[in-house]
């Protein structure tokens, strides 16, 4: 599985945890069809959830007209995962931002990619 696909599948896991409070290990097993995941997936899924409060604080600092709690669950998932990638330096910043813009264009409202771009660019 390539990194884009891992990001997409990881987004499903984080989304399920945020929306339904689904246990993250169960979400991983349901989405990835295994409970054994690589380090990159751990960063995207488990680290995003474990550091949610800290990342939420960073995000709220750069949001101007919203708060993290007012965002849609997919947008929240993408921003948490982006923070986790920045925190763990998984790729250059431009690559991370581009990946989350792409995912937001696929899964969010038409203009959500602008918000994702703006927030991640300021982090």
């Amino acid at each position: 599985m390539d990194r884009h696909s891992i990001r997409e599948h990881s987004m499903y896991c984080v989304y399920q945890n945020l929306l339904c409070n689904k246990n993250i290990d169960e979400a991983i097993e349901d989405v990835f069809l295994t409970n054994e995941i690589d380090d990159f997936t751990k960063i995207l899924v488990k680290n995003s959830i474990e550091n949610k409060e800290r990342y939420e604080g960073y995000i709220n600092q750069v949001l101007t007209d919203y708060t993290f709690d007012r965002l849609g669950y997919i947008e929240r998932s993408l921003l948490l995962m982006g923070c986790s990638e920045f925190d763990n330096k998984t790729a250059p910043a431009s690559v991370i931002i581009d990946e989350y813009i792409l995912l937001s264009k696929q899964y969010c409202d038409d203009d959500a990619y602008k918000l994702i771009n703006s927030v991640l660019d300021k982090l």
Side-chain angles (χ1 to χ4, degrees):
M1 188 178 294
D2 64 17
R3 281 195 163 203
H4 178 76
S5 297
I6 292 171
R7 284 182 180 99
E8 186 173 25
H9 284 73
S10 296
M11 178 193 68
Y12 302 146
C13 295
V14 174
Y15 174 79
Q16 289 178 19
N17 177 268
L18 295 176
L19 180 65
C20 305
N21 204 26
K22 186 171 188 172
N23 177 283
I24 201 63
D25 292 319
E26 289 177 20
I28 289 168
E29 190 168 342
D30 290 348
V31 171
F32 285 94
L33 304 177
T34 183
N35 58 3
E36 295 181 24
I37 56 174
D38 62 10
D39 289 338
F40 183 60
T41 306
K42 285 179 188 170
I43 288 170
L44 292 175
V45 179
K46 291 192 174 192
N47 193 57
S48 295
I49 298 304
E50 289 169 1
N51 294 291
K52 178 184 177 283
E53 288 181 26
R54 182 166 57 100
Y55 296 155
E56 187 176 334
Y58 297 153
I59 294 164
N60 277 327
Q61 287 178 3
V62 299
L63 287 172
T64 53
D65 297 329
Y66 292 95
T67 60
F68 183 80
D69 292 341
R70 288 190 59 208
L71 300 176
Y73 286 100
I74 295 175
E75 289 87 347
R76 292 182 202 184
S77 301
L78 294 174
L79 290 172
L80 289 173
M81 291 168 46
C83 285
S84 183
E85 285 207 60
F86 284 139
D87 206 18
N88 289 280
K89 298 174 178 49
T90 60
S94 60
V95 172
I96 294 169
I97 293 169
D98 286 347
E99 282 289 326
Y100 290 101
I101 289 171
L102 181 61
L103 286 169
S104 66
K105 285 181 177 180
Q106 288 179 292
Y107 291 97
C108 301
D109 292 335
D110 291 342
D111 290 335
Y113 76 93
K114 295 175 186 175
L115 175 91
I116 299 294
N117 182 33
S118 174
V119 171
L120 292 179
D121 192 45
K122 292 175 185 174
L123 294 175

